[in-house]
Amino acid sequence: MAMGRFLLKRSVQGVFVVWGVVTAVFALRYVTPGNPITFVAPLDAGPELREQIARELGLNRPFYVQYFDYIFSLLQGDMGYSYIQGVEASKLIFARLPATVELAVAASVVAVVLSIPLGVISATRRHEPADYAATSFSLIGISTPNFWLGIMLVLVLSVQFGLFPTSRRGIGLAPAIGMLVTQLDFSGLVTWLSHMILPAVTLGTYFTALITRLTRSGMLDELGKPYVRASRAKGLPETLVRYKHALRNTLIPVITVLGLQLGTLIGGAVITEAVFAWPGLGTLLINAINSRDWPLIQGSLIVIGTGFVLINIFVDALYAYINPQVVH
C-alpha cells in the first residue's frame, strides 16, 4: 500500500514535470531567433505570401491561443506537422526513437556488465595490480572524448581489420528477433550485433568508467562498516559478505546514476549517432534545429523529456524495492 502511494506520488510529480517541459519547449519558439516561415516560404516570397503562410500554419494567432491549441493537440497524440519534410512530426520521431533506445540500452548493458565486476574487483583487491588496472581503465574511459574513440574504433577495427561495419544500423532488433523466432535464422541478429557493437562501446565507455569508480568507492565504504566486520566475525563466507551485503548496499547510488545516465544517453547520443551515421533521434533533432523545424524540435524534446521522467519513476521504484525505508 505504501509502495503504491509512493509510486502514485512520483507519477503525479512526473506529470507536472512533463507539463513544465512542454511549456518551456513551446516558449522557446518565441525567444529563439529565426522565423520558421523563412524556411517554408519560397526565397522570392513577398509579404502577402508570407502572411498567408503564417495564417495557414496558425502562427499569426496570439501566444496563449497557440499554446492551448498545442496542449490540446498533444493530449490527442498530435505533435504537429513538419513544415520542411511535409510529414507529421510524430511519425518522424517515433520512426527514429527505436534506434536511439536500442543504442542507449546496448551502451548501458555494456557499461553494467563491465563496470560492476571491475568496481568490485578493484575494491576487494585494493593496491594490487587488478586495482591499478581497473583504476587506470576508468581514468582513461572518463578522459576519452566519445567522437575521438568512435573514429579510432572505425579506423582500426572496421577499416584496417574489417571486423565490423563502418556505419548505419543494418536491421532493427525487433525484425532480427522476428527472423530468429519465425525462421530460426540467426543472420538478422548477427547483422544487428555487428552494427551495434562499435556505437555501443563508444557511447558506453564513459558510462562504464563512471560506474566503475562509483562501485569501487561504494564498496570500499561498505566494506569498512561495522556490520561487515560483525558478519565476518560470525563466520559468514567472504563471498556472502561481499556480494549479498556490501554490494547490495553499494548498488543503491549506482542504480540512481544508471537511471540518470540512461536518460542522458537517450537524449545525448548525438555525437555517436553522427560518427556512425546512426539513424536515431539525435540526428533528427540536430537536422530539425538547423532548419528551424519547430514542430519536430518540440516533439523530439518532449519525447526525450518524457523518457527522462519515465526512467526516473522506474529508478525510484527500484530504489524503493532495494531500500524500503525510502517509501516512508
Side-chain angles (χ1 to χ4, degrees), residues 1-12 313 317 320 327:
M1 193 65 181
M3 184 70 166
R5 285 199 302 270
F6 174 76
L7 291 179
L8 180 62
K9 182 181 176 183
R10 286 288 185 270
S11 300
V12 172
I313 291 174
V327 176

Side-chain angles (χ1 to χ4, degrees), residues 228-239:
V228 172
R229 290 196 294 274
S231 300
R232 285 170 174 162
K234 288 180 180 177
L236 289 180
E238 186 62 23
T239 304

Side-chain angles (χ1 to χ4, degrees), residues 118 131-150 152-153 201-213:
L118 279 177
D131 179 27
Y132 295 134
T135 306
S136 301
F137 168 77
S138 64
L139 181 61
I140 293 172
I142 283 183
S143 308
T144 304
N146 277 356
F147 70 90
W148 182 85
L149 178 62
M152 289 299 106
L153 289 175
V201 170
T202 301
L203 189 60
T205 297
Y206 173 83
F207 196 14
T208 304
L210 179 66
I211 300 299
T212 299
R213 294 168 77 93

Side-chain angles (χ1 to χ4, degrees), residues 177-290:
I177 293 177
M179 289 174 62
L180 178 62
V181 173
T182 58
Q183 307 170 22
L184 293 178
D185 185 355
F186 286 88
S187 61
L189 205 55
V190 172
T191 302
W192 178 83
L193 198 59
S194 64
H195 282 82
M196 178 60 75
I197 287 178
L198 292 188
V201 170
T202 301
L203 189 60
T205 297
Y206 173 83
F207 196 14
T208 304
L210 179 66
I211 300 299
T212 299
R213 294 168 77 93
L214 193 61
T215 305
R216 180 181 183 276
S217 63
M219 281 291 290
L220 287 175
D221 185 45
E222 292 296 326
L223 290 174
K225 288 185 175 178
Y227 78 89
V228 172
R229 290 196 294 274
S231 300
R232 285 170 174 162
K234 288 180 180 177
L236 289 180
E238 186 62 23
T239 304
L240 194 65
V241 173
R242 287 179 182 176
Y243 297 102
K244 183 175 181 182
H245 298 294
L247 181 59
R248 181 187 175 98
N249 291 332
T250 302
L251 287 179
I252 294 174
V254 171
I255 288 172
T256 304
V257 174
L258 276 172
L260 295 175
Q261 286 296 320
L262 180 59
T264 305
L265 292 180
I266 291 175
V270 176
I271 295 175
T272 304
E273 289 185 1
V275 170
F276 292 95
W278 193 260
L281 192 57
T283 50
L284 180 71
L285 178 59
I286 292 299
N287 293 333
I289 291 173
N290 289 333

Side-chain angles (χ1 to χ4, degrees), residues 17-265:
V17 171
V18 171
W19 174 62
V21 170
V22 171
T23 304
V25 167
F26 185 83
L28 277 177
R29 177 192 290 187
Y30 294 89
V31 297
T32 306
N35 188 343
I37 297 175
T38 304
F39 296 89
V40 180
L43 293 175
D44 57 348
E48 293 181 356
L49 180 56
R50 294 172 67 87
E51 186 179 347
Q52 180 184 348
I53 293 173
R55 191 166 51 251
E56 290 175 353
L57 296 176
L59 299 176
N60 60 338
R61 293 177 299 170
F63 173 83
Y64 65 91
V65 174
Q66 294 186 48
Y67 174 71
F68 285 113
D69 278 353
Y70 187 67
I71 295 289
F72 184 71
S73 299
L74 277 182
L75 292 175
Q76 296 178 315
D78 181 6
M79 294 183 174
Y81 195 79
S82 170
Y83 309 141
I84 310 301
Q85 302 196 37
V87 184
E88 290 180 13
S90 56
K91 287 185 178 178
L92 293 170
I93 292 168
F94 288 108
R96 296 290 193 96
L97 187 60
T100 296
V101 172
E102 282 179 16
L103 180 57
V105 172
S108 301
V109 170
V110 169
V112 170
V113 168
L114 293 178
S115 63
I116 292 180
L118 279 177
V120 172
I121 291 172
S122 180
T124 54
R125 298 185 180 181
R126 196 177 184 188
H127 301 312
E128 294 182 13
D131 179 27
Y132 295 134
T135 306
S136 301
F137 168 77
S138 64
L139 181 61
I140 293 172
I142 283 183
S143 308
T144 304
N146 277 356
F147 70 90
W148 182 85
L149 178 62
I151 293 172
M152 289 299 106
L153 289 175
V154 169
L155 289 177
V156 175
L157 299 180
S158 300
V159 177
Q160 187 68 26
F161 295 104
L163 297 177
F164 300 101
T166 56
S167 61
R168 309 299 298 174
R169 190 183 178 203
I171 186 173
L173 180 59
I177 293 177
M179 289 174 62
L180 178 62
V181 173
T182 58
Q183 307 170 22
L184 293 178
D185 185 355
F186 286 88
S187 61
L189 205 55
V190 172
T191 302
W192 178 83
L193 198 59
S194 64
H195 282 82
M196 178 60 75
I197 287 178
L198 292 188
V201 170
T202 301
L203 189 60
T205 297
Y206 173 83
F207 196 14
T208 304
L210 179 66
I211 300 299
T212 299
R213 294 168 77 93
L214 193 61
T215 305
R216 180 181 183 276
S217 63
M219 281 291 290
L220 287 175
D221 185 45
E222 292 296 326
L223 290 174
K225 288 185 175 178
Y227 78 89
V228 172
R229 290 196 294 274
S231 300
R232 285 170 174 162
K234 288 180 180 177
L236 289 180
E238 186 62 23
T239 304
L240 194 65
V241 173
R242 287 179 182 176
Y243 297 102
K244 183 175 181 182
H245 298 294
L247 181 59
R248 181 187 175 98
N249 291 332
T250 302
L251 287 179
I252 294 174
V254 171
I255 288 172
T256 304
V257 174
L258 276 172
L260 295 175
Q261 286 296 320
L262 180 59
T264 305
L265 292 180

